[in-house]
Amino acid sequence: MTAVPPDASANCRLGVIALGDSITNGGGELQWGVALQSWALWTARALGLPFTSFAVDGAGARDVVEEQLPAAEARSASPSCRYDLGCIYVGVNDVRAHDWAPAAFAPRLRTALELLAGRCERLVALTIPIDLGRPRAGARVEAANAAIEAEAARVGATIVDLRGFRGRRVLMADHVHPTALGQVAIAERVVDALAAAGARVFVRPGELIAYETTWTGRLRGDLTYGYRHAKVSAAGLRLSLLGG
């Protein structure tokens, strides 16, 4: 992706562009009838903007730079136009990988943010929850978060802190992927941060959904979650004992 001169894009805006992994790509199970959609899509709807995503399941910082950003340029019908908002959430797969390389993560993130800054009026970057994965990613998360905050600050991006994002209602049993309501909850935080930075918000993400719960549904959900959580915890324990 190459930067566009301001005069070439003054009257052309493409809305929201999103980069990242499966969390930003969205997709998955319904939750009380609420579709699992990307937090970035909920954000775009709240801001009244069109939405384009190049996020890919399993992506890391390298994939964002080497695949998603080139795809954003090559597959755009209006390559000279700018975006109103760039959304990036990356690092979850990096810190959970066996070959985690903090020295490589920051430069890749810097490249991605700088290229996005050249095409977007605003940027938003998200940090990673501390209680990530089973086994937990541990100290790696804060190393990545420090890089995310430092690199986002360099380009003036709005930072949304998800360090304390946790809980059964908003996260699946793997402690990695948001539930349908979790995606909305992330979007609520993003919209709050953007509104504080001066962005116009037309509707709250939470106002775009409606659902009702039942005691039988809650019981079924408790049993399903308990079973899945036990499996994930057992697998995580085995990996920890094996040094994985």
Side-chain angles (χ1 to χ4, degrees):
M1 178 181 283
T2 55
V4 178
D7 59 339
S9 57
N11 299 311
C12 180
R13 295 288 184 272
L14 298 176
V16 176
I17 180 173
L19 306 176
D21 54 31
S22 59
I23 296 172
T24 299
N25 196 26
E29 298 177 354
L30 294 172
Q31 186 178 16
W32 297 110
V34 177
L36 202 162
Q37 300 182 99
S38 169
W39 62 270
L41 175 55
W42 289 118
T43 298
R45 294 177 66 181
L47 301 179
L49 297 171
F51 177 70
T52 304
S53 177
F54 293 93
V56 176
D57 292 2
R62 180 197 294 271
D63 303 298
V64 169
V65 173
E66 297 183 0
E67 298 179 16
Q68 295 179 29
L69 284 166
E73 184 168 3
R75 301 173 193 169
S76 175
S78 304
S80 64
C81 293
R82 293 173 63 81
Y83 290 89
D84 298 89
L85 175 66
C87 295
I88 183 167
Y89 185 13
V90 69
V92 168
N93 290 312
D94 298 83
V95 300
R96 299 181 71 229
H98 291 293
D99 58 350
W100 159 242
F105 178 74
R108 289 168 181 157
L109 182 62
R110 180 181 309 140
T111 298
L113 285 166
E114 287 178 346
L115 289 173
L116 276 177
R119 288 289 303 274
C120 302
E121 294 302 304
R122 297 178 184 272
L123 292 179
V124 63
L126 281 58
T127 62
I128 304 169
I130 296 297
D131 187 33
L132 178 72
R134 293 297 184 271
R136 292 177 175 86
R140 296 179 173 193
V141 172
E142 271 307 283
N145 282 341
I148 291 168
E149 290 180 324
E151 298 304 329
R154 286 181 66 255
V155 295
T158 297
I159 301 168
V160 179
D161 190 3
L162 295 185
R163 283 181 173 84
F165 193 77
R166 62 184 300 171
R168 180 200 156 177
R169 181 176 179 274
V170 297
L171 281 177
M172 296 182 187
D174 62 3
H175 295 266
V176 175
H177 296 93
T179 62
L181 296 181
Q183 292 279 10
V184 176
I186 293 174
E188 287 280 348
R189 296 191 185 197
V190 174
V191 166
D192 281 340
L194 290 172
R200 184 181 181 186
V201 178
F202 290 90
V203 62
R204 301 293 310 184
E207 296 173 351
L208 295 170
I209 61 173
Y211 61 95
E212 294 182 359
T213 65
T214 64
W215 74 268
T216 53
R218 290 193 297 271
L219 177 59
R220 184 169 58 250
D222 287 341
L223 294 173
T224 301
Y225 182 87
Y227 171 72
R228 291 177 177 176
H229 191 272
K231 286 184 63 178
V232 169
S233 297
L237 178 60
R238 286 196 297 271
L239 284 174
S240 295
L241 294 175
L242 292 172

